[in-house]
Amino acid sequence: MSRASLIAAALTLTAAPVLAADPPKVLHKTVKVGELDIFYREAGPKDAPAVLLLHGFPTSSQMFRNLIPQLADRYRVIAPDYPGFGNSSMPPRDTFGYTFDNLAAVVERFTEAVGLKRYALYVQDYGAPVGYRLASKHPERVTAIVVQNGNAYEEGLDNDFWKPIKAYWKEPASKEKREALRPFTKLDATKWQYTHGLKNPELVPPDAWITDQYFLDRPGNADIQLDLFLSYGSNPPQYPKWQEYFRKHQPPVLIAWGKNDSIFPPAGAEPYKRDLKTLEFHLLDAGHFALETNGTEIAKLMREFLAKHAK
């Protein structure tokens, strides 16, 4: 081999590695829905199949911060903050009723404002009663559903966590029952939701619960959350309607459920098997916020599932 060839070969071996393509960029946007400013995260091609990510309590679209880039090369991914959550408007309680009916109405108008005509749903915690209201009202809009610790069955509420909340439902005028729930809005409870049931809590960045707590600690927000704890009692009477939606319309459903969750344990996941024919069922070794520890696993399951069903 000539000297020039040797030099060329050496340069090839020592050249800097080619960097991988940049991940999809996530945009942070706000749209008017009536008088409300609704904040949302969006990434992916405008003409791609859409995925609507609906968050739970006590978080916001920030729970999807790592998932969105893992889907956005093939999908238009959108995650809004509900009124009173995250970076969306937080109107006073005397001008906006913090109920699940109203949250769902705002999200429905939000989808229309951003041009979502058909979409797959990702529902977690509060996202389930919001998303199932949308799906049962407009079944033609929903292409598929991903359920991550989102309840639609009485079995999912038959545990100790819900006892003080159910007591408030029975006595909604009781200040004592209401105040008994206020600790759920404090930092210890927020951190517990992220770390309970995990073999290695060190996988969860403290930024997650600190960010949520920042919004919870805004003046008046704790009472907004207590209003929603009371309004959650409006959801179980809707369960038969949502289950009928499952049976009649048979949306393809992926269950990716943190099995160590004490709020929505696997007892709430199992009944989906009764009503759905196209069901992929996975109990993950994770807690309430499974994306924090099992995000890559969930993204892989979603990509395989959505490739078959999100058109």
Side-chain angles (χ1 to χ4, degrees):
M1 182 179 291
S2 68
R3 182 179 180 185
S5 298
L6 289 170
I7 293 173
L11 288 172
T12 299
L13 290 172
T14 57
V18 177
L19 294 177
D22 289 339
K25 289 181 171 59
V26 179
L27 303 179
H28 303 83
K29 306 169 74 172
T30 301
V31 66
K32 277 285 185 186
V33 176
E35 297 300 315
L36 301 173
D37 291 321
I38 299 299
F39 172 85
Y40 64 105
R41 301 166 198 254
E42 178 175 7
K46 289 282 189 181
D47 59 350
V51 183
L52 178 63
L53 309 176
L54 298 179
H55 68 80
F57 167 84
T59 187
S60 64
S61 62
Q62 75 100 12
M63 73 169 280
F64 301 115
R65 66 197 182 280
N66 298 320
L67 178 65
I68 293 172
Q70 297 185 78
L71 302 176
D73 60 322
R74 295 180 60 181
Y75 302 97
R76 182 188 181 196
V77 189
I78 295 183
D81 293 351
Y82 311 138
F85 291 78
N87 292 288
S88 286
S89 292
M90 190 183 79
R93 296 164 56 232
D94 60 354
T95 64
F96 180 86
Y98 285 92
T99 67
F100 281 89
D101 283 345
N102 284 344
L103 294 189
V106 170
V107 173
E108 180 180 355
R109 294 176 66 190
F110 166 80
T111 63
E112 294 162 355
V114 299
L116 287 187
K117 296 181 179 179
R118 282 173 59 80
Y119 47 82
L121 277 172
Y122 183 115
V123 299
Q124 189 264 356
D125 191 269
Y126 281 10
V130 172
Y132 293 154
R133 278 172 169 80
L134 299 183
S136 57
K137 183 178 180 181
H138 299 290
E140 74 285 354
R141 297 183 183 179
V142 177
T143 59
I145 303 175
V146 178
V147 185
Q148 190 256 297
N149 299 72
N151 196 55
Y153 295 88
E154 290 284 355
E155 293 93 325
L157 303 182
D158 188 17
N159 58 71
D160 289 342
F161 178 86
W162 289 94
K163 288 181 178 178
I165 300 175
K166 289 179 177 180
Y168 184 31
W169 297 348
K170 290 179 179 178
E171 297 183 55
S174 169
K175 183 177 180 180
E176 179 185 0
K177 296 292 191 295
R178 181 179 175 91
E179 289 303 311
L181 304 180
R182 195 171 292 273
F184 289 157
T185 69
K186 303 300 183 182
L187 179 61
D188 286 349
T190 304
K191 180 179 178 181
W192 177 85
Q193 290 201 56
Y194 277 94
T195 58
H196 180 75
L198 303 185
K199 291 180 179 177
N200 187 3
E202 294 176 352
L203 290 172
V204 183
D207 316 60
W209 63 78
I210 291 172
T211 298
D212 290 351
Q213 196 62 42
Y214 168 81
F215 292 112
L216 286 173
D217 286 342
R218 290 175 293 175
N221 194 266
D223 279 299
I224 286 171
Q225 304 306 332
L226 296 181
D227 287 352
L228 285 168
F229 290 163
L230 179 60
S231 180
Y232 203 94
S234 70
N235 296 326
Q238 298 273 345
Y239 289 172
K241 178 180 178 180
W242 301 343
Q243 293 158 20
E244 176 60 23
Y245 157 74
F246 295 150
R247 289 190 295 269
K248 180 178 178 180
H249 295 281
Q250 289 298 321
V253 171
L254 166 66
I255 302 282
W257 198 289
K259 66 181 181 181
N260 306 322
D261 187 1
S262 292
I263 302 171
F264 293 115
E270 294 291 338
Y272 282 91
K273 295 176 180 178
R274 294 199 298 255
D275 295 320
L276 294 160
K277 297 176 182 177
T278 305
L279 176 66
E280 298 181 20
F281 190 91
H282 302 270
L283 295 181
L284 311 178
D285 190 6
H288 187 65
F289 286 112
L291 285 174
E292 297 295 331
T293 55
N294 296 61
T296 300
E297 181 181 6
I298 291 173
K300 182 176 183 294
L301 291 171
M302 287 183 66
R303 289 178 69 88
E304 294 172 353
F305 173 74
L306 294 172
K308 291 179 283 187
H309 303 294
K311 308 297 182 183

